Each structure stands twice: as structure tokens, then as C-alpha cells.
Amino acid sequence: MTVFQSIPSPAPEWQQVPVGQWLDAIGVLGLVQGSLAGAIVFGLVLGVVLAILALAAMLAFGRLTRRDTLWTIVSAIAFGLLLTWVLRMVTPAWGIQTYALCILAGIVVAAVLTGWRLRQRGVDAGYVIDIAVWAVLLGIVAARIFHVVTHPDDYFGPGRDPMTALYIWEGGIAIFGALLGGALGVWIGCRQTGLRFSTFADALAPGLLLAQAFGRLGNWFNHELFGQPTDLPWGLEIEATNPAYPVGLPEGILFHPTFAYEILWNVAGAALLLWLDRRRDVQWGRLVALYLVWYGVGRSVFETIRLDPSELFLGIRTNVWMAFLAIVVGVVVYVVQTRRHPGLEPSPWQPGRQPGADEALDSDVYTETPEPRTQDEAVTAAEPAAAHQ
């Protein structure tokens, strides 16, 4: 009996979800494109539904004020009307790339897990949304810029249209650019909300690996970023008509499923970080430092067996250099933060930024006692910290 078998690539039609056909079949396109009044009514109803769902989610997370309610309703209705305006230009042939849905699913999973981990520290999970807006937007922009810079021949030069560098919907983003832009977004979000950057980054680290695993699943749907030929029984089947298929190789050759390797590596890394965090002392940015080391080690290996073209520096792919840099940064951050902060974080908030806290309290004074995981425990744990001051 064969234990392993080759991995088939999904059918080409799986690369896109035919949303336009579905909307046309249920009459949505006919309604919004038939008359302006119908479009406005649909947009208002859609906005109300989105507002109800958003308010229910916020209430479930325990964070719902009158100001938040009003802002959510207005934003949801505005978004519903904007989406309806977009639908007036949609044709039945329009669809959403499955790769984009994989990335979206990864973002949702990371946000939910990060919110749960913040609640263990006594922070409302709703703060994830406030910070994620900055992180996701800047992460996408930086991911596209990094991809274009490292693949200039795809967009510039003879026979190329430089404007296609802006066509992000056609694919092409780089995880290292996303990390840089996302880190900047998290820093901005933390500055606005008052959360410690290190607290949020550590809470995010396991979810970030899971989000990257979902993104690699999108590569499988796109028949892209596969590795070198292999005779291993779990090799990936790629059609010979694929533009990335090596010239001169006969049809039927199997390739390393690098997407699958990275999915397994990332999921294992997320589990490891969650287990380490149970020790309750991997704080002050040290958990995200371990994330950088783990991901950098794996990516430096998987990148070397990929066949997709990439810029080289000293004969080594640029993404391999970035993986090495991630490892170095992770090690430096872990060592420096361990020496600077031998104890635990006294609070997930920046000094003087904790909601309802006394502005005069110096929250940079920390203690060796285990950090509180819930708001109830925080009240009890605050007494010895105050005495220590």
C-alpha cells in the first residue's frame, strides 16, 4: 500500500471565486444596476446588516460604548453604500482571487487569536481592530513595494508597462515587505491606543505564523512558487504549460511542494510559541524575536529550493538574505530585551496610558511575580508591585 502520493494542483477554475456569477444569479446585480433607487436601498440594507454583525462582535468581546456604536453604524452604512457603488460596475465575469481569500482568512485567524491572547493579559480584544487597520494597510503597501523592488524585470524594461507595478490585484506581494510595513502599522496603532508595542507584538507572533500558513495555501491554488524537481512520492504535480515550468523538462515531472513545507513549518512554529508562552515569562518582545528566528530559519531553507526568479546579491537570493537578517534581528532583540528587562511586564499599557489608571503611576517598574492573565488577577497582582515601588 502506498503511504504517500503526489500532490495534484487544483483545477485552474479554482484560482478564482466566481462572485459575479453568483451575484447575477441571485439578482443582486440586476437590483443595483437596474436603478439608482434600488442601489441606494440595497446599500442601506447591506450597511445595517454589517453594523449589526460588527456590534455583535464588539459586544461579544466586551467592548461597546455609545461612541463606538454610533461610529460603527455610520461606518458600516458608508461602507455598504460604497460597496454597492462598486457593484454597479461589476460584470458576471468578475471574481475574487482564491489567493486573496486565503490571505483574508489568515488575517482573521491572526486577529482572533491575538485578541484572545490580549484578553489573557486583561486587554479588551477590540483593540486588535484598532491596530490591525494600520498594520494591514501598511503591510499590503510595503509587501507590494518589496515585491516590485525584488522583481524589477516583471514591471520595467523593454516591453513592460511600469503602471502594472500598481496592479496588486494581479498578484505579487512579499512577506518580508509585509512584516516591515506591518511592524510600522502596529507601532502607530500602539501609539494611538496606549498599548505596549512589545505586548501586542508578542500576542501577535503565533497568529502571524498561522496567517502566513494560510497565505502559502494560496500559492497552491495559484500553481506558483514551487520548488526544484524531485522524485519524492509527495512531489507536486505542475502542468507543463505553466510559465514557471523549467524549459527542457518532460511533462509529468514532480516538484518540491515548498508551500506545503512552509505551511507545516509555520503551524509547528505557532504551536511552539504558544507552548513557550505558557511559561508566562516570554515577554518584552522576546516571543516575537523567537518568531523571527523560527521563520527566518525555515524561509532560508525553503527559499533555496524554489524555482521562481528572484534578484540575486552575491549569488544568493534576496529573500534568503532577508531570512538571514530576520534571524540576526531576532537573536539581537531576544538578547537585548533579556538583559534590559529581567522581570515581567508590569502592565500591557504604556506608562500612564492604562484606561482609568492613575497618571502618576510609574508602570515601567516591574516585578518578578507572574504576570496577571485576567483583569481580576490584575487587581490582586497590583498590590505587591505597588509595595515594590
Side-chain angles (χ1 to χ4, degrees):
M1 182 179 66
T2 302
V3 178
F4 298 104
Q5 59 181 2
S6 59
I7 303 175
S9 293
E13 55 265 24
W14 287 21
Q15 295 182 12
Q16 187 179 77
V17 179
V19 179
Q21 294 181 17
W22 297 349
L23 293 176
D24 187 49
I26 62 178
V28 171
L29 293 186
L31 176 63
V32 300
Q33 296 178 2
S35 66
L36 181 60
I40 294 175
V41 171
F42 179 83
L44 292 174
V45 172
L46 178 60
V48 171
V49 172
L50 293 175
I52 293 175
L53 293 176
L55 292 174
M58 296 172 67
L59 187 61
F61 285 131
R63 184 185 178 211
L64 186 60
T65 64
R66 180 177 299 179
R67 179 177 178 275
D68 290 337
T69 301
L70 180 60
W71 176 251
T72 300
I73 292 175
V74 172
S75 300
I77 292 177
F79 180 77
L81 292 173
L82 176 62
L83 184 59
T84 301
W85 176 77
V86 174
L87 291 178
R88 287 177 62 84
M89 299 180 289
V90 166
T91 66
W94 178 76
I96 298 178
Q97 295 295 319
T98 307
Y99 183 30
L101 294 179
C102 289
I103 294 177
L104 179 61
I107 293 174
V108 172
V109 169
V112 171
L113 180 57
T114 303
W116 176 80
R117 286 171 53 75
L118 285 177
R119 283 180 64 89
Q120 302 302 105
R121 295 291 309 274
V123 179
D124 285 339
Y127 282 100
V128 173
I129 299 177
D130 299 333
I131 298 175
V133 171
W134 287 101
V136 172
L137 291 179
L138 293 181
I140 292 175
V141 172
R144 181 60 174 181
I145 293 175
F146 194 96
H147 171 79
V148 172
V149 170
T150 55
H151 297 78
D153 294 339
D154 294 342
Y155 307 97
F156 308 103
R160 300 293 185 179
D161 181 6
M163 288 299 297
T164 58
L166 303 177
Y167 299 168
I168 191 172
W169 55 87
E170 294 183 354
I173 57 176
I175 183 59
F176 289 113
L179 292 177
L180 294 173
L184 176 60
V186 169
W187 181 82
I188 294 174
C190 287
R191 293 283 295 179
Q192 289 188 336
T193 60
L195 278 172
R196 289 183 188 271
F197 177 83
S198 61
T199 298
F200 189 89
D202 286 340
L204 173 64
L208 191 55
L209 281 171
L210 293 180
Q212 290 171 286
F214 274 92
R216 286 304 173 210
L217 185 61
N219 297 142
W220 177 61
F221 282 104
N222 278 359
H223 302 201
E224 63 184 1
L225 306 187
F226 47 88
Q228 299 171 2
T230 179
D231 56 1
L232 294 172
W234 58 79
L236 177 67
E237 300 175 9
I238 292 293
E239 67 282 0
T241 55
N242 190 303
Y245 200 93
V247 177
L249 285 184
E251 187 174 358
I253 297 295
L254 300 180
F255 300 87
H256 279 289
T258 50
F259 75 91
Y261 299 159
E262 194 162 334
I263 288 175
L264 294 175
W265 181 259
N266 290 344
V267 172
L272 176 62
L273 294 185
L274 289 172
W275 177 79
L276 289 174
D277 195 47
R278 291 180 63 87
R279 296 173 55 189
R280 301 164 66 93
D281 62 353
V282 189
Q283 299 180 7
W284 293 106
R286 289 183 296 222
L287 198 67
V288 76
L290 293 177
Y291 154 81
L292 289 173
V293 174
W294 181 270
Y295 182 72
V297 169
R299 184 62 183 269
S300 65
V301 174
F302 307 139
E303 186 73 23
T304 58
I305 63 175
R306 278 171 36 173
L307 287 179
D308 57 298
S310 177
E311 290 294 299
L312 300 179
F313 181 71
L314 299 179
I316 299 177
R317 293 165 68 96
T318 53
N319 281 333
V320 175
W321 284 114
M322 291 300 299
F324 291 159
L325 179 61
I327 297 172
V328 172
V329 171
V331 172
V332 171
V333 169
Y334 191 92
V335 172
V336 170
Q337 291 298 86
T338 298
R339 292 179 177 178
R340 290 182 59 188
H341 305 287
L344 302 179
E345 290 180 350
S347 167
W349 302 96
Q350 299 173 24
R353 300 292 300 276
Q354 183 173 355
D358 184 0
E359 295 293 335
L361 179 63
D362 181 10
S363 61
D364 270 336
V365 177
Y366 52 81
T367 175
E368 297 291 342
T369 58
E371 68 169 359
R373 289 290 179 174
T374 65
Q375 292 177 334
D376 293 335
E377 294 175 1
V379 176
T380 304
E383 297 181 359
H388 182 66
Q389 296 179 37

